[in-house]
Amino acid sequence: MSPDSLITHFVGASALVLVAAHAAGWLARKLKQPYIVGQLSAGIALGPSLLGSLAPDAYRTLFPAAIGPALTGFAQLALVVFLFAVGYELDLRILGDRARASLTVALASFAAPMAVGCGGALLFREQLHELGMPRDPSPSMVAFAGIALSITAVPVLTAIVRENELSRSVPGVVAVSAAGVLDAVCWTVLAAALMGGDDAAALGWPWRVVLAVGFVTVMVLAARPLLRRLLWRTRLEPSLRLALLIGFALGSAWVTHFLGLHVIFGALLAGVVIPREEGGTLDPDLLRPLHDVGSLLLPFFFVLSGQSVALNSMDGTGWAVLLAVTVLAVVTKVGSGTLAAWLGGLDRHDARTVGVLLSARGLTELIALDAGLRAGLLSHRLYTVLVFMALATTLFTQPLLILTRRLAERDRARPPVPVPAASPPAQDGTTTPADLG
């Protein structure tokens, strides 16, 4: 394919990706579902499983193999910008007065799904082998199975909390703060799993661990003070400052990719070390364009995710595994989150709301699955199963939240149970059952 033809196909495919994904996101929001559900559905529909099966000639014309690297590059750029903003917004001080309850919920909603996922990967090795996984999975593969069930999508959860007017409620604050802690734990465990993966990285994992620790130390101890001096003492133009910081995030992503990790970790780390404004507030002139650029380009990532979904390879085993994984993903998250929130002092209705909110996976799950697929920790067929699990759990969150709200309203509408009045003491000095109560 000539360079001019390559540019023509890429521009046409980009137009289709942007329009279709954002239109599907708008439709999903009209149906009271998160924006990401529509975008992911559009990405799968534009992939080889649907468009490639229904209209193979049109699919080859719209998405020739030659533009694959360009689409991948745009998808990775979108991830870097998006996760750079996520890292910049990450602030565990939101725990506040509910720190104990939030930490309890975060640890419980990580430990229970992690244990179930790792146990399932070991117990059902034969079924997973039919989906292309090795019969004897490596420790990294087992750990990744637990991570796949443990993740909660903070951006999707935050959007659901906001749309349901729970931002200032007790369950909303506990769920969002617990998800922030849970996110940090999951990213850390995922980094360890990727370092132990059997990919073709030039460096062995001990060297990668040493260099990664050194890189994080340099970023925290050296890069953060330099950035504080640059952002606070010099008044750069907003456009120049944005360009420098995105370049900084891309450079950090390049380093972590070189270390055998994924670009997502460098982007997150870059966002975390960016100093906030004096007083701890976020800079709106930085955050707003980051959200705009990230939301504009993220459809390329959804299409890239859809390209790897092999829907036509789903046989009876695949659908059975999908059903089992989805049930486990919902039950472990809702159950562990609800129990931990109740033990943390919330009433049963608020605790149930926290558990339901934490079951949303969405974009964060897709990012982790993409990293696992590229590191060789997932087969394409198991990747397909887990993508649909992420979509299903995100879809179920809003209906489960409505059901939880109706159960609470029904219980509050019930008349209180009358308390029987105490019987007067017997005149003959004997004791009645009421006296003993």
Side-chain angles (χ1 to χ4, degrees):
M1 184 179 292
S2 66
D4 287 342
S5 179
L6 179 64
I7 293 173
T8 301
H9 279 86
F10 177 73
V11 171
S14 299
L16 176 63
V17 167
L18 291 174
V19 173
H22 285 288
W26 173 84
L27 180 61
R29 187 166 289 171
K30 289 292 184 182
L31 297 175
K32 304 299 183 182
Q33 288 293 338
Y35 204 78
I36 178 185
V37 170
Q39 291 189 318
L40 176 58
S41 301
I44 294 174
L46 293 175
S49 295
L50 290 181
L51 181 61
S53 298
L54 298 176
D57 293 335
Y59 176 76
R60 285 191 293 268
T61 301
L62 291 170
F63 298 102
I67 69 170
L71 291 175
T72 302
F74 263 70
Q76 298 303 308
L77 176 62
L79 284 185
V80 169
V81 175
F82 173 78
L83 289 170
F84 178 52
V86 170
Y88 180 57
E89 290 182 289
L90 185 62
D91 185 10
L92 298 183
R93 292 178 299 178
I94 193 176
L95 293 174
D97 297 334
R98 295 284 176 177
R100 183 176 178 181
S102 299
L103 288 173
T104 303
V105 170
L107 294 177
S109 59
F110 170 77
M114 185 75 183
V116 170
C118 293
L122 294 173
L123 291 174
F124 301 102
R125 287 178 291 184
E126 292 300 324
Q127 289 78 6
L128 295 179
H129 179 65
E130 295 183 27
L131 296 178
M133 296 295 291
R135 185 169 271 109
D136 294 318
S138 66
S140 294
M141 292 178 179
V142 174
F144 189 85
I147 295 168
L149 261 65
S150 304
I151 286 177
T152 293
V154 177
V156 175
L157 184 148
T158 304
I160 293 174
V161 166
R162 188 184 305 115
E163 291 171 3
N164 286 272
E165 299 180 351
L166 295 172
S167 301
R168 297 186 178 182
S169 67
V170 171
V173 171
V174 170
V176 171
S177 53
V181 177
L182 179 61
D183 218 24
V185 174
C186 286
W187 288 125
T188 303
V189 177
L190 178 59
L194 292 179
M195 278 193 170
D198 299 326
D199 58 358
L203 298 172
W205 72 264
W207 279 108
R208 283 185 276 164
V209 172
V210 172
L211 292 175
V213 172
F215 178 62
V216 172
T217 303
V218 170
M219 289 284 281
V220 174
L221 298 181
R224 188 178 181 89
L226 290 175
L227 288 169
R228 182 180 291 111
R229 187 172 303 174
L230 173 66
L231 296 178
W232 289 3
R233 296 187 181 181
T234 59
R235 295 300 176 185
L236 299 175
E237 293 183 3
S239 58
L240 177 59
R241 180 175 54 176
L242 177 65
L244 290 175
L245 291 178
I246 290 182
F248 171 70
L250 290 170
S252 177
W254 177 82
V255 172
T256 56
H257 184 72
F258 172 77
L259 295 177
L261 293 170
H262 195 282
V263 296
I264 57 179
F265 297 103
L268 274 170
L269 179 60
V272 169
V273 301
I274 294 295
R276 297 182 170 219
E277 295 290 285
E278 297 184 21
T281 60
L282 296 172
D283 182 4
D285 292 332
L286 172 61
L287 198 58
R288 190 181 305 110
L290 285 177
H291 282 309
D292 291 342
V293 174
S295 62
L296 178 66
L297 296 180
L298 271 179
F300 288 95
F301 173 72
F302 293 119
V303 169
L304 185 68
S305 300
Q307 297 288 322
S308 301
V309 170
L311 182 59
N312 49 9
S313 68
M314 290 284 286
D315 53 10
T317 302
W319 291 113
V321 172
L322 173 59
L323 177 61
V325 168
T326 302
V327 171
L328 288 175
V330 174
V331 171
T332 55
K333 271 291 185 181
V334 175
S336 61
T338 300
L339 180 61
W342 180 72
L343 293 175
L346 277 68
D347 65 47
R348 58 174 179 167
H349 301 300
D350 287 346
R352 197 183 298 130
T353 300
V354 170
V356 169
L357 287 171
L358 290 175
S359 67
R361 284 166 175 84
L363 179 57
T364 308
E365 178 82 12
L366 295 178
I367 295 172
L369 294 179
D370 178 74
L373 180 64
R374 293 177 182 276
L377 302 179
L378 287 176
S379 65
H380 281 276
R381 295 180 66 189
L382 184 56
Y383 171 84
T384 300
V385 169
L386 294 177
V387 166
F388 280 108
M389 180 272 288
L391 181 61
T393 53
T394 307
L395 279 169
F396 292 159
T397 301
Q398 186 64 30
L400 287 175
L401 201 58
I402 294 174
L403 177 62
T404 300
R405 185 184 299 120
R406 289 179 177 175
L407 289 174
E409 292 173 351
R410 186 189 65 182
D411 288 349
R412 293 189 183 103
R414 288 177 178 174
V417 178
V419 179
S423 302
Q427 298 297 324
D428 57 359
T430 59
T431 304
T432 64
D435 296 330
L436 295 175

